[in-house]
Amino acid sequence: MEKKATIKKIDKTQLYFILKGIVVGLFTGIVVSLFRLAIEKLGILTQHFYELTQREPIYLILGAVVSIIVALLVGLLIKSDPDIKGSGIPQVEGQLQGELTISWFSVLWKKFVGGILSVGSGLFLGREGPSIQLGAVVGQGTSQLFHSVSSEQKILISSGASAGLAAAFNAPIAGLLFVLEEIHHSFSPLVWLTSFASAVTANFVSLYFFGLKPVLSLGELPSLPLKYYGSLIVLGIFLGVLGFVYQQVLLSLPRMYEKVPLPSYWHGLVPFLLILPIGYFWPTILGGGNQIIISLGHSSLPLMMIFGLFILRFVFSMVSYGASLPGGIFLPILTLGALLGSIYGTILVHTFGMDPIYIKDFIVIAMAGYFAAIGKAPLTAVILVTEMVGSLNHLMPLGLVALVAYIINDLLGGNPIYESLLERLLAHKHPPFLKGKTTFEFPITAESLLDGLMVRDFNWPQDMLLVSIIRGKNELLTHGDTIMQMGDILVILTDESHLSSVKKEIAKRSYHPALKQSF
């Protein structure tokens, strides 16, 4: 009988990473909470200014001058460090895949300042993507403080990203799931433990700043009767199609902005000037849109007004994000989803006589479905919306709509939006010059061809070494006759410069073509 050589795990390893995760979460919680607080304060001042212009239109001239100055300032920040563009989530994914190198302190302060000025000025951008990138660079900086090796640095970057989302939305479970489902696409014990510790810690800090009230508190949410569940399938189809439209329009924005006769870092002048008439006529709809979601949950609006608001926010959110300003699409997507849910619920009231109290349910459900279709991360969507509204009454309808929307978007050929944005980003960047060795973990899932295969029978890529296999609580030294099993986690050593290509090649060779996952 074959004897297995084992490496005895150090009992304190997990505790060691949990403690480091807590440190990252503490720093990230402080940074993101200050970021969030500054945006809220500036947003209030912005709204008051536009309300003043309604009484004294002459102040619009002052607003135009200030907008130009702010746009130029943000443009200079972008020119000095292009890695602060957009939400920052594609940059985090690229960094963890070894495709990008980030100067953590430069991104930290420039994203912080640029994000406050862009989001706080009323542009239709969200604070959540920047919060994730801020958390990631805090994790990177903390890893340098601890003199971490490359593999440990990636774990701390992941934990910082999780903490950033947790602090931005008061959603620690969603922060953890986002890292596993959207960024890593796999389950690693050390990643999830460290990320969970960071997310909980950052959320605690955020709660100290902003209190226990959920970010999108809509009051009491009635349970949706079973007789309306059939309409949820139609809603999922509706959201899947519109999510695909959103993806295609967003990815076409660079071609549209190429027509602007300005360098790319000055493209922010376009949304900063166009926001002036929007702010003058509708000062209460500025920003990411959380106030719109809350108002939809507490009051009913005419159908045409909701539809017009959806069109306005869809178009200008594209204008805002297309300028590559430091701001995200998380909250704008949720706002658009809430508007679609309100439209759908209102139609059901007028057409089928549904009780209007259930419109609020469709607002919540559509947020998750629309985000699941665009981000292709249904678990994150369900848990995120659940934590944001503070209600557990809708897990079943949330899951149903998210699943249907995901499937429809997949059938249409939609790809995860952040991966598509990363591919676009890498197409315009030179590969980083990386030195040194690093290890990464590769899980064997149910559909993998590695399940039941001997190590020597697989065609491994070049430039890598299979170091060990983590199986349960044991770590096995491998040899040619070692049989890999579902649930195993392969620990692989490679050069940092080959990290991304080795990962992709193993995934390509180990999955049956008919079962390959979208990532």
Side-chain angles (χ1 to χ4, degrees), residues 82 108 131 165 191 193 220 232 244 253 308 350 352 391 407 464 480:
L108 177 62
S131 297
L165 181 56
V191 170
L193 272 175
E220 184 178 354
L232 295 179
F244 179 75
L253 292 176
H350 294 328
F352 299 102
S391 172
I407 292 172
M464 57 141 288

Side-chain angles (χ1 to χ4, degrees), residues 73-90:
L73 178 58
V74 175
L76 290 174
L77 293 174
I78 294 172
K79 182 181 180 181
S80 65
D81 194 339
D83 289 323
I84 70 170
K85 287 182 178 181
S87 71
I89 295 173

Side-chain angles (χ1 to χ4, degrees), residues 246-288:
Y246 183 97
Q247 292 172 330
Q248 300 309 304
V249 174
L250 190 73
L251 294 175
S252 69
L253 292 176
R255 295 194 299 272
M256 299 178 187
Y257 265 94
E258 284 176 358
K259 300 176 182 179
V260 178
L262 291 170
S264 60
Y265 47 86
W266 298 134
H267 284 173
L269 285 165
V270 175
F272 268 105
L273 290 175
L274 290 180
I275 194 64
L276 291 168
I278 297 175
Y280 176 76
F281 289 106
W282 306 287
T284 59
I285 70 167
L286 299 179

Side-chain angles (χ1 to χ4, degrees), residues 382-444:
V382 170
I383 299 303
L384 176 65
V385 172
T386 298
E387 290 187 294
M388 290 181 71
V389 301
S391 172
L392 296 173
N393 292 341
H394 300 84
L395 285 176
M396 177 61 187
L398 284 172
L400 175 60
V401 171
L403 177 61
V404 173
Y406 178 95
I407 292 172
I408 295 300
N409 185 277
D410 209 48
L411 291 174
L412 292 172
N415 293 312
I417 190 62
Y418 293 115
E419 288 190 9
S420 299
L421 291 172
L422 174 60
E423 290 176 4
R424 190 180 72 186
L425 176 65
L426 295 177
H428 297 89
K429 275 186 171 286
H430 296 291
F433 294 97
L434 300 172
K435 297 180 180 180
K437 305 292 183 182
T438 187
T439 59
F440 69 92
E441 296 179 347
F442 187 89
I444 299 179

Side-chain angles (χ1 to χ4, degrees), residues 12-276:
K12 296 181 180 179
T13 299
Q14 291 183 343
L15 178 61
Y16 172 77
F17 275 93
I18 289 173
L19 291 176
K20 286 194 172 182
I22 291 173
V23 174
V24 172
L26 179 63
F27 290 158
T28 301
I30 294 172
V31 170
V32 173
S33 294
L34 292 174
F35 180 70
R36 179 177 163 186
L37 185 64
I39 288 174
E40 289 186 3
K41 297 298 184 183
L42 181 57
I44 292 172
L45 291 176
T46 300
Q47 181 177 333
H48 288 167
F49 171 78
Y50 282 113
E51 290 171 348
L52 174 63
T53 63
Q54 291 178 336
R55 299 189 297 271
E56 302 288 343
I58 191 67
Y59 283 108
L60 281 174
I61 299 175
L62 174 62
V65 173
V66 172
S67 292
I68 292 173
I69 293 173
V70 172
L72 294 176
L73 178 58
V74 175
L76 290 174
L77 293 174
I78 294 172
K79 182 181 180 181
S80 65
D81 194 339
D83 289 323
I84 70 170
K85 287 182 178 181
S87 71
I89 295 173
Q91 288 89 329
V92 175
E93 292 189 3
Q95 188 178 9
L96 292 174
Q97 293 174 15
E99 301 277 11
L100 297 173
T101 54
I102 301 293
S103 175
W104 74 270
F105 186 72
S106 173
V107 170
L108 177 62
W109 78 264
K110 292 174 183 176
K111 189 81 170 193
F112 189 91
V113 174
I116 292 172
L117 293 176
S118 299
V119 182
S121 296
L123 302 183
F124 291 4
L125 297 169
R127 63 177 181 257
E128 300 70 33
S131 297
I132 290 171
Q133 189 178 24
L134 288 173
V137 294
V138 167
Q140 183 181 353
T142 305
S143 72
Q144 293 186 12
L145 178 66
F146 290 141
H147 304 289
S148 302
V149 297
S150 175
S151 56
E152 183 178 306
Q153 182 184 79
K154 288 181 170 61
I155 293 175
L156 294 183
I157 290 173
S158 301
S159 68
S162 175
L165 181 56
F169 273 146
N170 289 357
I173 310 301
L176 170 63
L177 277 177
F178 181 79
V179 166
L180 298 178
E181 186 179 25
E182 172 63 35
I183 294 180
H184 282 278
H185 308 291
S186 63
F187 181 90
S188 166
L190 283 182
V191 170
W192 88 258
L193 272 175
T194 313
S195 298
F196 192 36
S198 293
V200 171
T201 304
N203 185 59
F204 181 81
V205 175
S206 177
L207 292 176
Y208 180 81
F209 275 82
F210 301 101
L212 295 171
K213 188 176 182 180
V215 174
L216 296 178
S217 178
L218 302 180
E220 184 178 354
L221 291 169
S223 296
L224 188 69
L226 286 173
K227 64 181 180 180
Y228 295 121
Y229 273 49
S231 65
L232 295 179
I233 298 176
V234 179
L235 176 60
I237 296 172
F238 176 60
L239 294 173
V241 173
L242 291 183
F244 179 75
V245 172
Y246 183 97
Q247 292 172 330
Q248 300 309 304
V249 174
L250 190 73
L251 294 175
S252 69
L253 292 176
R255 295 194 299 272
M256 299 178 187
Y257 265 94
E258 284 176 358
K259 300 176 182 179
V260 178
L262 291 170
S264 60
Y265 47 86
W266 298 134
H267 284 173
L269 285 165
V270 175
F272 268 105
L273 290 175
L274 290 180
I275 194 64
L276 291 168

